[in-house]
Amino acid sequence: MAGIFIFSEDRALAAQLLTPALELKAALGEPLTVLALDAAQATELSTLGADKVLVVGDSATWIEGLGEPLAALVAHASVVLVGGTLRGKHLAADVAARLKTGMTTDAKAVRIAGGKLVATRILYAGLAVCDEELPLPAVVTIRARTFLAPTTTTAAAPIEQAVAKADARVTVESVTPTSTAGVDITAASRLIAVGRGFRAKDDLKLAEDLGKVLGAELACTRGIAEDEHWLPIERYIGISGQTVKPELYLAVGLSGQVQHMVGCRESKTIVAINNDERSPIFEAADYGIVGDLYEVLPLLTAALRK
Ligand SMILES: Cc1cc2nc3c(=O)[nH]c(=O)nc-3n(C[C@H](O)[C@H](O)[C@H](O)COP(=O)(O)OP(=O)(O)OC[C@H]3O[C@@H](n4cnc5c(N)ncnc54)[C@H](O)[C@@H]3O)c2cc1C
């Protein structure tokens, strides 16, 4: 058994997987191989510390159909890290089943201890953290933005074409990207998240005005998107919504329930504005203003404009 392998069809996430993979490489003293979906991804990832890059498909590959060939390629692996997208989880489970080995999802950290892989995971929507031990070989999925991609580049690793024939029963006829309303909030460095403390849709203008001054995008709680339909669902944060890690998360008129906070708790700085000093958001916040958002937001916008 030898080797650490990574795979994600999501280009940014694939690069992020290299950070924990390089730590595992150091701990195990085993080579690190990137399984790249196509030649372009292979070139992109080849200078981030891996020992080898194998191209396993092309733009027409049905990723879910790669279970069998990927399992053959990683047959002797110690650890396989897979990007924790919906499609990646599907593929990881397929590979783990074929290897007849254990798998865990959404690890926040991975390490080797006592010859096993220890994966740290968040449980019960953020109420608990647990360490799971997996005997090697282990298959682990990791969600986007759990790690930063390596910042130092290395000499380009050799790129080879792997024989990886996807299950031919499903073929990709055409690809239509999902249309999203507006920007990708997961990439924003500043977010203003609004909650049910706002009494009407038009009142969101108060947050938009502050957003313009701060250079921040609007995010929200589930109720604002799914019940009120005041903002598109791509903008709601939490266990069933987006996970974000901005520099600044300004939570306005939201209570900070655990299902929401699990999506933003790793923001660098959390600032809360809430008129109830006992609101749980103040436990998570680095800075808090106890006050009525209808008074505080215009004052803050005016002060920052100066
Ligand atoms: C299975 C499940 C999954 C869920 N997934 C998610 C999820 O992914 N994301 C998510 O967001 N939620 C999710 N929820 C819902 C979650 O539990 C909370 O109900 C929700 O996050 C609360 O939204 P809120 O903070 O906007 O509203 P509330 O909890 O009603 O909070 C409103 C806050 O505004 C404050 N406020 C009121 N008026 C003012 C004012 N004038 N000025 C300042 N502050 C004011 C109040 O003090 C209060 O703290 C989920 C729930 C379940 C059961």
Side-chain angles (χ1 to χ4, degrees), residues 195-197 199 221-222 236-241 253-257 259-260 273-276 279 291-294:
R196 285 188 183 278
R199 293 192 283 266
T221 57
R222 188 169 82 167
Y236 92 76
I237 309 295
I239 189 166
S240 30
L254 65 83
S255 55
Q257 298 302 325
Q259 293 90 353
H260 179 80
I273 301 172
N274 196 297
N275 63 0
D276 177 3
S279 181
D292 185 340
L293 70 90
Y294 288 88

Side-chain angles (χ1 to χ4, degrees), residues 116-201:
K116 292 183 176 164
L117 182 130
V118 182
T120 304
R121 302 179 66 224
I122 287 184
L123 292 184
Y124 309 123
L127 283 180
V129 176
C130 82
D131 277 352
E132 279 179 16
E133 278 187 358
L134 288 97
L136 305 183
V139 180
V140 181
T141 71
I142 294 179
R143 290 177 84 168
R145 289 172 295 283
T146 303
F147 295 93
L148 295 172
T151 46
T152 45
T153 51
T154 56
I159 299 175
E160 291 171 22
Q161 187 71 41
V163 184
K165 248 190 139 5
D167 187 336
R169 287 173 298 174
V170 182
T171 52
V172 180
E173 294 295 315
S174 66
V175 177
T176 310
T178 324
S179 62
T180 48
V183 294
D184 172 12
I185 59 159
T186 62
S189 67
R190 292 175 184 177
L191 287 173
I192 301 178
V194 298
R196 285 188 183 278
F198 286 79
R199 293 192 283 266
K201 183 178 181 185

